[in-house]
Amino acid sequence: MSFKVEFTKKALKEFNSLSERDKVFVALFFDKLEEDPFSGSQNIKKLKNPFEGYRGRVGKFRVLFVLEKNKIITIYSVRHRKDVYR
């Protein structure tokens, strides 16, 4: 299974604001998402209200995304765990 990862403008801005070390760490997560988002090694959880999508746990960061039927993963947020759900 091969998926395509796309970013919203907000998520891309959040990702670019990370330190270089954290960018590498989170980018590895995106690579694993492209291969198979539900392989079990990514610590992904289905979310309910107010965001109907998924959460990926990447160390101290959380990645919020939606999996669309045409194998596109849209990343909505890449933020520190203390700020992501606000």
Side-chain angles (χ1 to χ4, degrees):
M1 260 192 256
S2 181
F3 292 81
K4 183 178 181 198
V5 174
E6 294 181 349
F7 293 85
T8 62
K9 286 182 181 184
K10 176 185 165 224
L12 191 58
K13 184 177 179 181
E14 290 170 351
F15 177 72
N16 288 330
S17 71
L18 299 177
S19 70
E20 290 301 316
R21 181 176 167 263
D22 292 334
K23 278 185 191 176
V24 170
F25 193 52
V26 174
L28 290 173
F29 173 78
F30 295 144
D31 290 341
K32 290 179 184 178
L33 267 185
E34 284 181 334
E35 292 172 17
D36 184 10
F38 300 108
S39 66
S41 63
Q42 283 90 316
N43 198 344
I44 292 175
K45 181 178 179 183
K46 178 110 171 91
L47 298 176
K48 296 180 180 163
N49 294 337
F51 182 79
E52 296 284 334
Y54 296 90
R55 180 267 297 151
R57 213 167 74 181
V58 187
K60 61 184 176 183
F61 296 98
R62 300 298 180 264
V63 177
L64 301 181
F65 64 94
V66 173
L67 179 63
E68 299 178 21
K69 292 182 182 182
N70 51 357
K71 293 192 174 188
I72 294 178
I73 297 171
T74 305
I75 308 293
Y76 282 93
S77 184
V78 181
R79 298 180 73 186
H80 192 275
R81 65 188 180 104
K82 69 178 182 179
D83 301 322
V84 74
Y85 300 110
R86 294 181 186 176

